[in-house]
Amino acid sequence: MKTIRLTTAQALVKFLNQQYVEFDGQRERFVKGIFTIFGHGNVLGLGQALEEDPGALEVYQGRNEQGMAQAAVAFAKQKRRRQIIACTSSVGPGAANMVTAAATASANQIPLLLLPGDTFASRQPDPVLQQVEHRHDFTVTTNDAFRAVSKYWDRVSRPEQLMSAMLHAMRVLTDPADTGAVTVCLPQDVQAEAYDFPEAFFQQRVHRIDRRVPTAADLQQAVELIKRKQRPLIICGGGVRYAEAADELRRFAEKFHIPYGETQAGKSAIESEHAYNLGGIGVTGNLAANLIARDADLVIGIGTRYTDFTTGSKQLFQHLAVEFLTINVSPYDACKLDATKLVADAKLALPALEAELDRAGYRSAYTDQIAQVKQAWADELARLRQIRYLGQGFVPEVAGHRDEVLPAFVETFQSCLTQTEVIGLINELINEDAIIVGAAGSLPGDLQRMWQSRRPHTYHMEYGYSCMGYEIAGALGVKLAEPDKEVYAMAGDGSYLLLHSELVTSLQEGQKINVLLFDNASFGCINNLQMENGMGSFATEFRFRNPTSGKLDGGWMKIDFAQSAAGYGVKTYRAHTLEQLKEALADAKQQPCSTLIDIKVLPKTMTAGYESWWHAGVAAVSGNSKVAEAYRHKEAKLKTARKY
Ligand SMILES: Cc1ncc(C[n+]2csc(CCOP(=O)(O)OP(=O)(O)O)c2C)c(N)n1
Ligand SMILES: O=C1C[C@@H](O)[C@H](O)[C@@H](O)C1=O
Ligand SMILES: [Mg+2]
């Protein structure tokens, strides 16, 4: 057997260079590069290996380990899981910072390869700097925290373990049914140790992402179910995008006259204008999709995990005879909601179903309801885009919470822009093929409802983990995946403050991203959530501590986000009027470097409602009668929801 003598880290780099995926006959290199923040625990091992011979791997320098790993998640998501950027961190805090991104990847089923440094396998110098000592168990390190958020976890305690670890890492990273974060922990001594690796370990490997074929029995069952139903509704989930099944879905909907709602992950598979596309469904969905959902007698979920936001906490579907049919490559997701399962790739399953239903002459019983609800939503959308603040008597979309503070906000921030008019304008002015990126706050709701996607894969929302801070890091990842397109991070002020470090990386790499920062001086959606459920406004507005009350109910904190980003070298703008926003958007397009538009938007002017319910824990006992009322409301709603 021929061998090559390398350190563990050198062998890892050599191995990563030899990985390819093949999908529908197209072969692509799987690992584009590696994000690094070097410290002890990785610089002398993996760092040395990358300096000596990175092969084709692009080496990036991150700013915050969470940020760089979130960028890697976004990159893989935008590449529809067919290419990744790996991430390496030093031992201890550097590693721990990546745990949140690992969870983001696993929740969203996006491949992410994490290579955190680990404490010495030999234990000779223990405890090393940044080591948490576990007195009850020497095998536990900070990196065990990744176990809870990884789809595959391993620790390479001897160089030769690298071989089995990496084969399994690749198995999980390229599995469309169960991918997510893969964490391979690398003790710092082992990274630098040499071993005679068999040459065969470094052969070129092609991992085929096969399309799962539906079984005849599954198909038959599904056809029989559809034939019994008059008012089916399709849910277009992320799986439609990963399977590139948009054309098949479009044809299926048209042929059998079946409308579909979009999840956050499924949005922009097909353009919003399509006659059967009802738009966003669920808690953050719109009236068209939610009304059809209420009365549907069959829900056909395609590539969806049926999260609470999609199903309105299982309360959205009110037809007494409603049943579920699920097309999904994952048996785990397919059996949710006690559905009839069609475990298969959507691109194969839909045409197979189509052939059978064609033969049976199937057509849904909808007459003009689809066109009607779509038109009603278009009218509502036009209204939302036109909402202007007119001073006294103005009623915001989220009314009755903090109506009285709006004039003070206008006075302090010198802006009376409403969030819905701003979104409408942005949607109108940015390029059709520009990609918007979001994750948390009130924007995902507004965007799922309001955003009109015109081109495929232009809507990139991380709403599996809804992790604040993903927006800007994610925009960098998306830009690396699609360098020819303008990319816009849609971020609230809360998200921006939580994490925007990779904005600097975008400058360093010359990868232009545009940050559209919606400053409403609050954790706005959480303020809504608490006040909708009877609480007061409590620690969710960005106000100074008031020396009189001792509470956070002083004046607004005025933050000049434009100035903060300008300090990094970002081209910045301030938008207090629609005219300023228009000019800024136009100018930003011309810039070669990253830009940020600091948009001051009135609180409470985001969208709300539209016939959905979200099951959130409400206090069962409270001296506040409004909370007690909210609890009664929750209990009543719960009675109308499916039990499982
Ligand atoms: C990392 C993380 N921490 C906390 C939360 C909970 N959370 C969700 S939205 C939100 C506030 C978001 O505020 P902002 O970004 O300003 O958006 P807004 O709701 O004001 O539009 C919080 C704290 C989260 N989703 N992610
Ligand atoms: O708690 C939350 C409420 C949602 O409205 C928000 O979008 C999400 O980020 C979240 O974490
Ligand atoms: Mg905010």
Side-chain angles (χ1 to χ4, degrees):
M1 182 180 62
K2 275 200 160 166
T3 59
I4 311 179
R5 190 158 181 80
L6 293 170
T7 67
T8 307
Q10 290 161 357
L12 174 58
V13 171
K14 198 171 175 61
F15 176 87
L16 292 178
N17 268 288
Q18 293 302 324
Q19 308 309 305
Y20 290 78
V21 293
E22 196 175 283
F23 184 67
D24 285 353
Q26 290 249 358
R27 193 172 289 189
E28 243 181 299
R29 178 181 287 283
F30 187 56
V31 189
K32 175 181 166 67
I34 181 160
F35 272 113
T36 64
I37 293 186
F38 289 129
H40 83 90
N42 68 342
V43 70
L44 302 179
L46 205 42
Q48 188 281 333
L50 287 165
E51 185 196 29
E52 193 163 296
D53 184 8
L57 301 185
E58 194 74 61
V59 179
Y60 303 101
Q61 185 186 62
R63 289 290 160 308
N64 169 306
E65 291 86 355
Q66 185 195 150
M68 71 183 193
Q70 298 285 26
V73 176
F75 174 84
K77 182 173 160 79
Q78 194 64 23
K79 284 281 185 182
R80 297 191 281 297
R81 311 194 291 201
R82 298 200 284 273
Q83 199 176 35
I84 63 165
I85 299 177
C87 298
T88 170
S89 77
S90 55
V91 66
N97 273 349
M98 298 199 295
V99 172
T100 309
T104 306
S106 291
N108 288 281
Q109 307 193 134
I110 303 296
L112 173 69
L113 176 59
L114 298 176
L115 303 166
D118 213 331
T119 52
F120 275 73
S122 74
R123 303 185 190 168
Q124 184 279 324
D126 281 10
V128 296
L129 179 70
Q130 303 176 325
Q131 176 171 354
V132 180
E133 289 185 84
H134 295 87
R135 295 162 191 214
H136 66 292
D137 184 345
F138 264 72
T139 66
V140 174
T141 77
T142 292
N143 287 349
D144 285 76
F146 284 102
R147 287 178 189 265
V149 290
S150 298
K151 295 285 178 91
Y152 178 75
W153 184 97
D154 207 342
R155 174 177 285 132
V156 178
S157 302
R158 298 167 60 98
E160 59 268 43
Q161 289 175 353
L162 181 74
M163 295 178 283
S164 52
M166 290 317 294
L167 294 187
H168 285 290
M170 288 307 302
R171 168 180 62 79
V172 175
L173 288 167
T174 57
D175 177 359
D178 199 18
T179 190
V182 165
T183 305
V184 179
C185 311
L186 300 170
Q188 64 167 302
D189 50 348
V190 181
Q191 280 179 52
E193 278 168 21
Y195 182 74
D196 295 311
F197 288 91
E199 210 177 49
F201 178 57
F202 305 110
Q203 67 186 306
Q204 190 186 90
R205 286 167 205 274
V206 181
H207 306 267
R208 255 197 337 274
I209 302 183
D210 288 324
R211 292 187 176 276
R212 184 159 176 166
V213 181
T215 65
D218 268 8
L219 269 175
Q220 204 43 47
Q221 230 182 358
V223 169
E224 291 310 321
L225 175 58
I226 297 174
K227 280 184 354 197
R228 281 196 282 115
K229 299 293 185 175
Q230 278 82 50
R231 295 179 64 96
L233 165 71
I234 292 168
I235 298 178
C236 167
V240 174
R241 287 175 62 180
Y242 299 131
E244 314 268 4
D247 291 344
E248 287 72 14
L249 173 57
R250 180 196 302 273
R251 209 174 51 227
F252 191 86
E254 288 170 1
K255 190 169 265 177
F256 305 116
H257 197 49
I258 304 178
Y260 54 91
E262 300 167 310
T263 69
Q264 292 277 17
K267 194 169 168 71
S268 82
I270 300 178
E271 71 279 2
S272 303
E273 261 191 357
H274 182 233
Y276 290 86
N277 190 348
L278 301 176
I281 191 168
V283 178
T284 43
N286 70 46
L287 203 54
N290 287 351
L291 285 180
I292 294 282
R294 188 189 61 195
D295 299 329
D297 59 1
L298 174 66
V299 177
I300 307 175
I302 310 180
T304 172
R305 295 186 302 119
Y306 293 119
T307 68
D308 60 347
F309 266 71
T310 296
T311 67
S313 300
K314 303 193 176 111
Q315 197 272 339
L316 196 57
F317 315 107
Q318 288 295 317
H319 193 290
L320 288 177
V322 68
E323 289 180 77
F324 295 83
L325 166 66
T326 303
I327 302 174
N328 204 303
V329 287
S330 156
Y332 176 90
D333 288 321
C335 70
K336 289 174 180 169
L337 291 162
D338 218 353
T340 295
K341 302 183 278 291
L342 181 43
V343 181
D345 177 277
K347 201 176 178 74
L348 300 185
L350 284 168
L353 276 179
E354 185 186 324
E356 293 295 320
L357 290 172
D358 232 358
R359 210 164 298 142
Y362 179 81
R363 187 176 163 87
S364 80
Y366 292 108
T367 52
D368 58 355
Q369 292 98 333
I370 302 169
Q372 262 177 24
V373 291
K374 228 177 129 61
Q375 184 54 52
W377 177 248
D379 296 344
E380 171 64 358
L381 202 51
R383 183 189 72 80
L384 290 168
R385 287 166 158 228
Q386 293 299 322
I387 295 176
R388 308 275 182 265
Y389 177 79
L390 300 169
Q392 278 298 322
F394 172 76
V395 182
E397 290 302 280
V398 184
H401 289 183
R402 299 289 279 156
D403 301 358
E404 72 287 358
V405 307
L406 296 189
F409 184 95
V410 173
E411 176 71 23
T412 309
F413 292 94
Q414 290 297 300
S415 168
C416 51
L417 287 170
T418 68
Q419 184 154 311
T420 56
E421 68 181 342
V422 166
I423 289 173
L425 191 73
I426 294 167
N427 203 173
E428 198 181 304
L429 295 183
I430 67 173
N431 300 345
E432 281 199 358
D433 66 352
I435 302 163
I436 60 163
V437 182
S442 64
L443 281 166
D446 283 5
L447 295 170
Q448 195 191 2
R449 290 185 181 115
M450 292 184 66
W451 196 258
Q452 299 296 291
S453 322
R454 302 192 174 91
R455 299 278 187 88
H457 310 302
T458 51
Y459 184 88
H460 180 120
M461 188 63 64
E462 185 284 287
Y463 216 59
Y465 212 50
S466 186
C467 190
M468 291 168 73
Y470 178 93
E471 297 89 341
I472 289 163
L476 171 63
V478 170
K479 184 69 180 179
L480 289 169
E482 302 223 35
D484 298 337
K485 298 193 177 147
E486 288 285 347
V487 177
Y488 293 85
M490 310 287 277
D493 47 337
S495 274
Y496 181 83
L497 288 171
L498 199 135
L499 178 64
H500 62 262
S501 323
E502 302 323 308
L503 187 49
V504 173
T505 314
S506 81
L507 294 170
Q508 177 180 41
E509 290 291 334
Q511 298 288 346
K512 175 191 178 188
I513 61 170
N514 304 285
V515 180
L516 300 179
L517 195 151
F518 290 66
D519 180 10
N520 56 12
S522 56
F523 292 141
C525 66
I526 306 300
N527 184 275
N528 291 350
L529 180 63
Q530 63 187 180
M531 297 196 76
E532 266 154 30
N533 286 287
M535 289 177 64
S537 175
F538 179 63
T540 51
E541 292 178 67
F542 298 169
R543 292 176 176 279
F544 288 103
R545 188 166 297 281
N546 179 346
T548 313
S549 67
K551 296 184 179 168
L552 295 174
D553 59 4
W556 299 102
M557 295 185 72
K558 263 175 80 172
I559 302 176
D560 189 340
F561 291 104
Q563 191 174 359
S564 105
Y568 300 137
V570 170
K571 170 75 182 162
T572 61
Y573 311 83
R574 293 182 182 82
H576 298 248
T577 65
L578 285 179
E579 210 40 56
Q580 286 173 343
L581 179 59
K582 247 187 232 173
E583 282 168 18
L585 286 167
D587 194 76
K589 277 191 206 176
Q590 309 306 321
Q591 298 298 326
C593 67
S594 292
T595 71
L596 177 143
I597 310 180
D598 182 356
I599 312 167
K600 305 297 183 194
V601 289
L602 279 165
K604 304 290 172 185
T605 58
M606 59 285 276
T607 61
Y610 304 113
E611 299 284 327
S612 64
W613 177 65
W614 188 31
H615 188 179
V618 181
V621 181
S622 166
N624 177 345
S625 64
K626 287 186 183 165
V627 172
E629 174 52 31
Y631 181 74
R632 279 194 295 277
H633 175 73
K634 185 214 71 166
E635 289 290 287
K637 277 286 188 188
L638 195 51
K639 289 202 174 84
T640 67
R642 284 176 62 90
K643 299 288 175 266
Y644 67 105

PDB file of all heavy atoms in Angstrom, residues 309 439-442 444 463 466 525-526 614, ligand 2:
ATOM      1  N   PHE A 309     -44.609  28.293  12.096  1.00  0.00           N
ATOM      2  CA  PHE A 309     -44.914  29.482  11.296  1.00  0.00           C
ATOM      3  C   PHE A 309     -45.629  29.105  10.002  1.00  0.00           C
ATOM      4  O   PHE A 309     -46.440  29.873   9.494  1.00  0.00           O
ATOM      5  CB  PHE A 309     -43.637  30.299  11.015  1.00  0.00           C
ATOM      6  CG  PHE A 309     -43.446  31.385  12.042  1.00  0.00           C
ATOM      7  CD1 PHE A 309     -43.078  31.069  13.343  1.00  0.00           C
ATOM      8  CD2 PHE A 309     -43.686  32.721  11.735  1.00  0.00           C
ATOM      9  CE1 PHE A 309     -42.947  32.052  14.320  1.00  0.00           C
ATOM     10  CE2 PHE A 309     -43.564  33.725  12.701  1.00  0.00           C
ATOM     11  CZ  PHE A 309     -43.189  33.387  13.996  1.00  0.00           C
ATOM     12  N   ALA A 439     -33.503  37.308   8.124  1.00  0.00           N
ATOM     13  CA  ALA A 439     -33.538  36.214   9.098  1.00  0.00           C
ATOM     14  C   ALA A 439     -34.482  36.463  10.270  1.00  0.00           C
ATOM     15  O   ALA A 439     -35.218  35.570  10.663  1.00  0.00           O
ATOM     16  CB  ALA A 439     -32.132  35.943   9.641  1.00  0.00           C
ATOM     17  N   ALA A 440     -34.440  37.662  10.840  1.00  0.00           N
ATOM     18  CA  ALA A 440     -35.126  37.815  12.120  1.00  0.00           C
ATOM     19  C   ALA A 440     -35.819  39.170  12.231  1.00  0.00           C
ATOM     20  O   ALA A 440     -35.599  40.068  11.419  1.00  0.00           O
ATOM     21  CB  ALA A 440     -34.125  37.650  13.263  1.00  0.00           C
ATOM     22  N   GLY A 441     -36.640  39.285  13.272  1.00  0.00           N
ATOM     23  CA  GLY A 441     -37.328  40.541  13.525  1.00  0.00           C
ATOM     24  C   GLY A 441     -38.657  40.608  12.800  1.00  0.00           C
ATOM     25  O   GLY A 441     -39.252  39.574  12.450  1.00  0.00           O
ATOM     26  N   SER A 442     -39.114  41.824  12.551  1.00  0.00           N
ATOM     27  CA  SER A 442     -40.408  41.979  11.870  1.00  0.00           C
ATOM     28  C   SER A 442     -40.263  41.856  10.356  1.00  0.00           C
ATOM     29  O   SER A 442     -41.247  41.621   9.658  1.00  0.00           O
ATOM     30  CB  SER A 442     -41.028  43.333  12.223  1.00  0.00           C
ATOM     31  OG  SER A 442     -40.216  44.388  11.738  1.00  0.00           O
ATOM     32  N   PRO A 444     -38.883  39.507   8.308  1.00  0.00           N
ATOM     33  CA  PRO A 444     -39.281  38.266   7.641  1.00  0.00           C
ATOM     34  C   PRO A 444     -40.793  38.177   7.402  1.00  0.00           C
ATOM     35  O   PRO A 444     -41.238  37.701   6.360  1.00  0.00           O
ATOM     36  CB  PRO A 444     -38.809  37.168   8.598  1.00  0.00           C
ATOM     37  CG  PRO A 444     -37.664  37.789   9.326  1.00  0.00           C
ATOM     38  CD  PRO A 444     -38.031  39.248   9.477  1.00  0.00           C
ATOM     39  N   TYR A 463     -35.183  31.240   8.060  1.00  0.00           N
ATOM     40  CA  TYR A 463     -36.255  31.296   9.059  1.00  0.00           C
ATOM     41  C   TYR A 463     -36.474  29.931   9.719  1.00  0.00           C
ATOM     42  O   TYR A 463     -37.544  29.650  10.237  1.00  0.00           O
ATOM     43  CB  TYR A 463     -37.554  31.836   8.441  1.00  0.00           C
ATOM     44  CG  TYR A 463     -38.336  32.705   9.413  1.00  0.00           C
ATOM     45  CD1 TYR A 463     -37.777  33.851   9.976  1.00  0.00           C
ATOM     46  CD2 TYR A 463     -39.635  32.368   9.784  1.00  0.00           C
ATOM     47  CE1 TYR A 463     -38.480  34.625  10.881  1.00  0.00           C
ATOM     48  CE2 TYR A 463     -40.354  33.150  10.680  1.00  0.00           C
ATOM     49  CZ  TYR A 463     -39.769  34.276  11.231  1.00  0.00           C
ATOM     50  OH  TYR A 463     -40.467  35.049  12.126  1.00  0.00           O
ATOM     51  N   SER A 466     -34.074  31.523  12.560  1.00  0.00           N
ATOM     52  CA  SER A 466     -34.346  32.954  12.668  1.00  0.00           C
ATOM     53  C   SER A 466     -33.310  33.628  13.557  1.00  0.00           C
ATOM     54  O   SER A 466     -33.635  34.231  14.574  1.00  0.00           O
ATOM     55  CB  SER A 466     -35.765  33.200  13.201  1.00  0.00           C
ATOM     56  OG  SER A 466     -36.046  34.583  13.175  1.00  0.00           O
ATOM     57  N   CYS A 525     -40.601  43.489  16.777  1.00  0.00           N
ATOM     58  CA  CYS A 525     -41.569  42.389  16.724  1.00  0.00           C
ATOM     59  C   CYS A 525     -41.786  41.788  18.107  1.00  0.00           C
ATOM     60  O   CYS A 525     -42.861  41.274  18.398  1.00  0.00           O
ATOM     61  CB  CYS A 525     -41.123  41.319  15.720  1.00  0.00           C
ATOM     62  SG  CYS A 525     -39.618  40.483  16.206  1.00  0.00           S
ATOM     63  N   ILE A 526     -40.781  41.887  18.965  1.00  0.00           N
ATOM     64  CA  ILE A 526     -40.946  41.324  20.310  1.00  0.00           C
ATOM     65  C   ILE A 526     -41.780  42.289  21.162  1.00  0.00           C
ATOM     66  O   ILE A 526     -42.580  41.869  21.999  1.00  0.00           O
ATOM     67  CB  ILE A 526     -39.576  41.031  20.963  1.00  0.00           C
ATOM     68  CG1 ILE A 526     -38.723  40.150  20.035  1.00  0.00           C
ATOM     69  CG2 ILE A 526     -39.745  40.371  22.327  1.00  0.00           C
ATOM     70  CD1 ILE A 526     -39.320  38.794  19.679  1.00  0.00           C
ATOM     71  N   TRP A 614     -50.267  32.212  16.346  1.00  0.00           N
ATOM     72  CA  TRP A 614     -48.970  31.661  16.739  1.00  0.00           C
ATOM     73  C   TRP A 614     -49.059  31.255  18.193  1.00  0.00           C
ATOM     74  O   TRP A 614     -49.400  32.074  19.055  1.00  0.00           O
ATOM     75  CB  TRP A 614     -47.868  32.719  16.548  1.00  0.00           C
ATOM     76  CG  TRP A 614     -46.476  32.194  16.752  1.00  0.00           C
ATOM     77  CD1 TRP A 614     -46.040  30.924  16.496  1.00  0.00           C
ATOM     78  CD2 TRP A 614     -45.355  32.920  17.251  1.00  0.00           C
ATOM     79  NE1 TRP A 614     -44.694  30.820  16.781  1.00  0.00           N
ATOM     80  CE2 TRP A 614     -44.249  32.034  17.244  1.00  0.00           C
ATOM     81  CE3 TRP A 614     -45.157  34.240  17.662  1.00  0.00           C
ATOM     82  CZ2 TRP A 614     -42.977  32.415  17.670  1.00  0.00           C
ATOM     83  CZ3 TRP A 614     -43.895  34.625  18.081  1.00  0.00           C
ATOM     84  CH2 TRP A 614     -42.815  33.721  18.076  1.00  0.00           C
TER      85      TRP A 614
HETATM   86  O1  LIG B   2     -39.189  35.377  18.485  1.00  0.00           O
HETATM   87  C1  LIG B   2     -39.232  35.697  17.292  1.00  0.00           C
HETATM   88  C2  LIG B   2     -40.452  36.316  16.756  1.00  0.00           C
HETATM   89  C3  LIG B   2     -40.488  36.477  15.264  1.00  0.00           C
HETATM   90  O2  LIG B   2     -41.444  37.450  14.963  1.00  0.00           O
HETATM   91  C4  LIG B   2     -39.159  36.894  14.746  1.00  0.00           C
HETATM   92  O3  LIG B   2     -39.204  37.071  13.348  1.00  0.00           O
HETATM   93  C5  LIG B   2     -38.122  35.898  15.057  1.00  0.00           C
HETATM   94  O4  LIG B   2     -36.866  36.427  14.702  1.00  0.00           O
HETATM   95  C6  LIG B   2     -38.105  35.485  16.488  1.00  0.00           C
HETATM   96  O5  LIG B   2     -37.092  34.960  16.950  1.00  0.00           O
END
